[in-house]
Each structure stands twice: as C-alpha cells, then as structure tokens.
C-alpha cells in the first residue's frame, strides 16, 4: 500500500491541496506513482462546483477499479465532493471506494491509508470534519516546478452566494499568518520560482491580526527573487481601495484583476446574494480604469440562474459590452445540494435557453478578447519565459506578460524563468505573438 497516484479536479485551490497531500504522504513513507497503472492507491481530489464535475468523478471511479492491468487498487476520495457527498459515496454499494478525506483532513491521510490494512468497515473510514483553524501552514507543498508557485493565503468562504456549494464543502474562512506566507515565498524564491499567485476564495476577506490583503501583497513583494505577484479572486462587493492603490503602484504586482460578475441584473445579483448592484459593479470597474487604464480584467459569469429573464440576460450582455473583459469563464447554472438556491429557487430556466445564452456570451467574449488582444499590437511588454517550446512547435517559446496573457516568441536561448522585452506583433483571441527586443536583467 505504498504507491499513491493523485488525480486533481476543479480549481487552483484543489491543485494546491494536492501538493499539500503529496508532502503529507512523502513525509509518512509513501511514494508517488507516475500513473494510475503502477499505483496501489488512487486518490481523486474532487470538485463539486457544478454537476458535470461530479459526474466525471463517478465515471473515473469505475474505470480505475476496472483498470487494464486487472490488479486490485484502493480508491480514496478527497476534496469538495468528500464533504458534500460523503453519504452517497460511502453508502452506495456499487461505488468501489475505500475511504474519504475532506479538505481539512489531509494530515489524517496516513491513518486512513493505514486502516485499509486492517479490518475497518469502509463506511467508517472517512474524515470530513471541517476546521475553523486548519491552514496547513506547517506543510510545505510539493509543487511541480515551472516559473509560478501558488500560496493559499486563506481557506474557506463565508459569503454564501446562493448558487455556490463552496462554503459547505470548504467551511469557514480563515487566514494564514503573514510571516508564514512570506517565509513560504522566500523558500519558493530560493528554489527558483519567479512568480507567486496568492490564492483564496475571497482574498478581500484576508485578515490576520490586523494585517489586510493589501499589506500582505506588499510584504510578499519584498521577497527577493520573486518578480511577479498575482492573486485570485477578489469579490466585487468589498474591493478595498488601498488594494487598488497597491496594485497600481507596486511594480511587482501584476496589473490584472479577476472580478467575478456572475450576472448583470441587480435583481438576479440580489437573489444570488452577491450584495452588489450592477451599478456598483460598473462603478468599481470605472474606478479601476481611472486608477490604471490598462488593467486587464477577467470575470466569471453564470447564465440561467433561476428566474433569469431574457431582459435580465441582456443586462449581462450590456455589462460585458461596457467592461470589455480580456477573458471570461462562462457557466450554465447548475443546481447544487444544500445551497439556498436549491432549497428556495426551482431551476426553471430551460436547458435550451441556458445553451443559447452561453453560446451568445461566448461569441461576444471572443470578439472582446480579440479586440483587447489586438490593441496590444505595437506595444512593448515584459515577458516571463515559461516554456522553451510551445505545444505546437519547437521553433517557438512561450511566456506571459504582466496581464497573464500568453506571448509566443521565436525560439532563442533566453532560458525559462528569465524576462525579455518583446514587441507585440500579432494577436488572436487566445494569444499574443511578438519578437524579442532585449533580455532583461532580473
Ligand atoms: N470564490 C470564487 C469562485 C469559486 S467558484 C469567487 O467568488 O470568485 C468559480 C466560479 O464557478 C464562480 O465564480 C461561479 O461563476 C461558478 N459557479 C459557482 N457555483 C456555480 C453553480 N452552482 N453553477 C454554475 N456556476 C457556478
Ligand atoms: Fe462561492 Fe461566492 Fe464564496 Fe465565491 S464568494 S466561493 S462564489 S460563495
Ligand atoms: Fe474548487 Fe471545485 Fe471545491 S471549484 S473549491 S474544487 S467545489
């Protein structure tokens, strides 16, 4: 029972947690398998945010159990489905899983794995307790390399947007001590990482004994070797003005904000419990653009929330037209167990209409992305080289600009983790292309 393979679904927080799990396992004498075929145990770090994320996992459980080599394998479920679907998972005799660990229980994994050798009933082999304190500040995650490393600065969410399962799967908000975060950043810098992305379900809520998120960003900005700092996500309801100032003025903090809109209609936003109006959101965008006109803005949008009318959907389009996002993740509303929306609002927008709406928004977003990307042609950007070849060609290398846009450059001996100045010469919806002007010394 020594070789473990982990497969990760869902958001960056789960990717980060997988790296925490790896560290816990390695410290306790387990090995990480390269693939599921050679593993004694397969862990699925699951997501529950939309129904299709769930379904993927159910399918995977079956095909792992019946893997090609025919050898027995243990399956453990981690992550957000663990908390939310514990009963369904453990009590379904047709689901061949052996144990479950929720997002705050990863330090208990060695015991749960140990129990597989004994006679424990599978229905008893779980730990999904949510903690008010666990931040894994004493576990240094085993990250996979590259130029960017992640640091979870807070966990959980107290916002209870009515559509969202996260507050139920990840529990209450809690922040990590700044010194501890800065130490992790230093260690990452010493390992050669050049960029750090700070993670939290709502980073605006970050607070540790009086230190707020803007100050934390500045403290991380002082770490030598780290040249770029990103974060995700802030909530539009309480975007701190000092934060905007720090982003605009601190050269290490990237000029890019992910600002989830969710819907354009104030009535729908109210039903979602987002606690801002369309007007307040648009005013915030105006203010951001006043302080920093070139700010790259991205968003999340849900179409077909219960009772959303055509006119209200049009309002989402209008906000998109006003803001002109650089990119957007657009989702169909998916009813989630336990949420207020599930209990109170029937999922009454027909699937065909949800499809129509998502197709429309994706079309509009494509146009905007292309326009925003084309506007960069002729500009000079600092590009952090992240790969010495692209998926398509070994004649090209790939990096990202400050706004997190992919920049493709002709191959050259610049070295991953270094910065170049590049002139942008072409653009598509998804990438910029350019030519290198000089190598930067940082
Ligand atoms: N904490 C982050 C969001 C995490 S979930 C934030 O508030 O910014 C990522 C996105 O998934 C959300 O912004 C929302 O657009 C989408 N989402 C969440 N629950 C959903 C649901 N029930 N149906 C469809 N999309 C959903
Ligand atoms: Fe979900 Fe809202 Fe919390 Fe984001 S802020 S995780 S959408 S409840
Ligand atoms: Fe992330 Fe999915 Fe959980 S989006 S927080 S892994 S429900």
């Amino acid at each position: 029972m020594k070789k473990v393979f982990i497969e990760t679904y869902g958001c960056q927080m789960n990717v980060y947690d997988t790296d925490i799990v790896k560290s816990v396992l390695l410290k306790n004498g387990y090995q990480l398998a390269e693939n599921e075929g050679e593993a004694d145990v397969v862990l699925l770090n699951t997501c529950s945010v939309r129904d299709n994320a769930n379904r993927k996992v159910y399918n995977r459980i079956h095909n792992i159990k019946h893997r090609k080599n025919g050898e027995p394998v243990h399956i453990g479920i981690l992550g957000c489905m663990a908390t939310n679907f514990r009963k369904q998972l453990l009590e379904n005799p047709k689901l061949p899983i052996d144990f479950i660990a929720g997002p705050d229980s990863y330090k208990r994994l060695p015991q749960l794995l140990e129990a597989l050798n004994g006679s424990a009933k599978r229905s008893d082999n779980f730990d999904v307790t949510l903690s008010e304190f666990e931040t894994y500040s004493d576990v240094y995650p085993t990250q996979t390399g590259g130029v960017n490393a992640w640091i979870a600065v807070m966990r959980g969410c107290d916002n209870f947007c009515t559509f969202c399962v996260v507050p139920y799967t990840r529990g209450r908000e809690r922040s990590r001590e700044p010194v501890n975060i800065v130490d992790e950043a230093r260690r990452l810098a010493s390992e050669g990482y050049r960029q750090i992305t700070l993670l939290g379900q709502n980073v605006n809520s970050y607070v540790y004994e009086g230190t707020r998120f803007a100050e934390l960003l500045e403290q991380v900005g002082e770490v030598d070797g780290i040249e770029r700092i990103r974060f995700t996500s802030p909530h539009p309801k309480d975007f701190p003005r000092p934060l905007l100032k720090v982003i605009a003025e601190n050269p290490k903090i990237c000029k890019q904000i992910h600002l989830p809109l969710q819907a354009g209609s104030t009535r729908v936003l109210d039903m979602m419990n987002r606690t801002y109006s369309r007007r307040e959101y648009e005013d915030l965008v105006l203010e951001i653009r006043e302080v920093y006109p070139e700010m790259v803005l991205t968003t999340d949008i849900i179409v077909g929330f219960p009772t959303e009318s055509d006119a209200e959907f049009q309002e989402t389009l209008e906000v998109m037209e006003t803001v002109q996002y650089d990119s957007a993740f657009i989702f169909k509303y998916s009813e989630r167990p336990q949420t207020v929306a599930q209990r109170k609002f029937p999922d009454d927008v027909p699937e065909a209409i949800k499809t129509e709406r998502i197709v429309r928004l994706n079309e509009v977003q494509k146009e905007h992305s292309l326009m925003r990307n084309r506007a960069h042609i002729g500009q000079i950007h600092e590009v952090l080289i992240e790969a010495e070849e692209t998926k398509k060609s070994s004649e090209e290398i790939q990096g990202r600009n400050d706004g997190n846009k992919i920049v493709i450059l002709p191959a050259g001996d610049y070295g991953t983790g270094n910065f170049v100045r590049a002139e942008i010469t072409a653009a598509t919806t998804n990438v910029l292309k350019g030519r290198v002007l000089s190598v930067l010394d940082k």
Side-chain angles (χ1 to χ4, degrees):
M1 221 67 79
K2 281 294 175 195
K3 277 201 148 184
V4 185
F5 181 68
I6 316 173
E7 204 164 273
T8 311
Y9 298 81
C11 67
Q12 261 325 308
M13 194 60 92
N14 259 15
V15 177
Y16 184 83
D17 283 357
T18 288
D19 295 342
I20 297 267
V21 169
K22 285 181 181 169
S23 297
V24 170
L25 293 176
L26 289 170
K27 198 172 153 222
N28 285 277
Y30 291 90
Q31 293 162 17
L32 299 174
E34 296 276 318
N35 55 59
E36 85 183 63
E38 63 175 43
D40 305 309
V41 181
V42 176
L43 301 178
L44 301 179
N45 193 0
T46 61
C47 170
S48 196
V49 79
R50 283 170 290 277
D51 188 47
N52 51 8
N54 267 26
R55 251 179 288 154
K56 263 192 230 157
V57 168
Y58 284 118
N59 290 337
R60 272 304 275 151
I61 293 172
H62 287 288
N63 68 50
I64 292 167
K65 202 69 189 185
H66 302 110
R67 63 184 178 177
K68 282 198 205 96
N69 65 13
E71 284 174 26
V73 58
H74 287 280
I75 300 178
I77 301 293
L78 318 179
C80 290
M81 274 175 79
T83 351
N84 223 22
F85 288 88
R86 175 177 62 81
K87 271 193 173 309
Q88 285 96 315
L89 288 165
L90 280 179
E91 287 168 14
N92 182 343
K94 289 200 191 121
L95 272 182
I97 59 162
D98 300 283
F99 65 99
I100 296 189
D104 290 340
S105 310
Y106 298 148
K107 287 183 192 158
R108 286 250 304 134
L109 272 171
Q111 279 120 292
L112 292 166
L113 282 163
E114 206 43 51
L116 296 177
N117 297 322
S119 54
K121 278 205 342 251
R122 88 165 184 159
S123 56
D124 296 332
N125 205 9
F126 67 87
D127 188 342
V128 295
T129 322
L130 290 171
S131 155
E132 285 179 36
F133 309 103
E134 183 61 87
T135 57
Y136 296 108
S137 55
D138 52 342
V139 183
Y140 185 71
T142 306
Q143 308 214 20
T144 34
V147 299
N148 178 71
W150 305 85
I151 302 181
V153 300
M154 59 170 306
R155 300 176 70 87
C157 182
D158 289 350
N159 285 316
F160 291 93
C161 302
T162 56
F163 52 80
C164 184
V165 81
V166 173
Y168 305 91
T169 63
R170 288 192 163 264
R172 301 290 54 79
E173 260 169 30
R174 65 217 96 125
S175 300
R176 240 173 104 174
E177 192 175 3
V179 205
N180 181 259
I181 294 167
V182 172
D183 278 350
E184 187 159 320
R186 281 209 195 94
R187 186 160 167 189
L188 290 163
S190 74
E191 288 175 11
Y193 290 98
R194 307 309 307 277
Q195 171 178 298
I196 280 177
T197 309
L198 303 180
L199 266 183
Q201 295 303 342
N202 173 15
V203 294
N204 302 350
S205 306
Y206 176 88
V207 60
Y208 192 96
E209 290 176 359
T211 304
R212 319 267 344 179
F213 189 65
E215 296 151 62
L216 176 71
L217 269 180
E218 290 198 294
Q219 291 183 20
V220 177
E222 280 161 24
V223 174
D224 284 339
I226 298 300
E227 297 297 338
R228 275 185 179 169
I229 299 157
R230 303 187 190 280
F231 62 90
T232 193
S233 308
H235 194 299
K237 69 169 179 177
D238 55 0
F239 196 95
R241 298 320 188 253
L243 175 60
L244 186 51
K245 199 163 169 274
V246 169
I247 302 170
E249 291 173 4
N250 188 321
K252 283 193 183 176
I253 300 170
C254 295
K255 312 302 178 235
Q256 169 226 342
I257 301 177
H258 185 66
L259 202 62
L261 167 68
Q262 311 301 1
S265 142
T266 298
R267 191 192 68 87
V268 174
L269 287 170
D270 278 346
M271 276 180 78
M272 289 176 161
N273 190 33
R274 291 291 289 180
T275 67
Y276 52 85
S277 64
R278 167 180 176 179
R279 180 69 189 277
E280 282 163 339
Y281 185 97
E282 288 178 331
D283 285 350
L284 173 61
V285 170
L286 275 179
E287 201 180 327
I288 292 172
R289 291 243 158 94
E290 249 162 51
V291 174
Y292 199 90
E294 297 276 287
M295 193 74 79
V296 167
L297 289 177
T298 60
T299 200
D300 292 345
I301 292 173
I302 296 175
V303 295
F305 186 78
T307 74
E308 184 187 61
S309 68
D310 276 331
E312 286 164 337
F313 167 69
Q314 288 302 320
E315 286 202 71
T316 303
L317 266 173
E318 285 164 21
V319 178
M320 286 175 79
E321 291 295 348
T322 315
V323 178
Q324 306 264 332
Y325 295 104
D326 289 87
S327 69
F329 298 102
I330 304 164
F331 309 104
K332 290 182 193 175
Y333 171 69
S334 167
E335 190 177 85
R336 307 314 294 136
Q338 284 185 291
T339 58
V340 171
Q342 187 241 359
R343 283 180 272 135
K344 288 197 178 158
F345 315 136
D347 183 6
D348 61 358
V349 176
E351 183 61 25
I353 296 200
K354 286 182 185 168
T355 304
E356 237 170 64
R357 290 180 184 170
I358 199 172
V359 168
R360 180 84 187 100
L361 293 196
N362 277 322
E363 277 167 9
V364 170
Q365 185 50 50
K366 262 192 170 166
E367 285 167 25
H368 292 171
S369 298
L370 184 61
M371 227 156 53
R372 299 274 305 167
N373 284 351
R374 280 196 178 142
H376 295 306
I377 295 174
Q379 293 177 344
I380 293 169
H381 290 185
E382 284 190 8
V383 179
L384 170 57
I385 308 294
E386 58 183 33
E388 307 248 42
E389 52 186 72
T390 63
K391 278 185 202 132
K392 284 190 192 142
S393 161
S394 59
E395 315 271 281
E396 291 175 332
I397 57 171
Q398 179 175 313
R400 279 177 199 263
N401 70 4
D402 183 281
N404 211 20
K405 293 186 181 178
I406 293 174
V407 184
I408 308 287
L409 301 165
D413 203 7
Y414 310 112
T416 304
N418 290 322
F419 285 82
V420 298
R421 278 173 75 243
E423 184 191 331
I424 305 303
T425 53
T428 68
T429 16
N430 301 319
V431 300
L432 306 177
K433 291 195 167 191
R435 64 186 184 96
V436 177
L437 301 176
S438 60
V439 178
L440 287 164
D441 182 22
K442 53 176 177 181

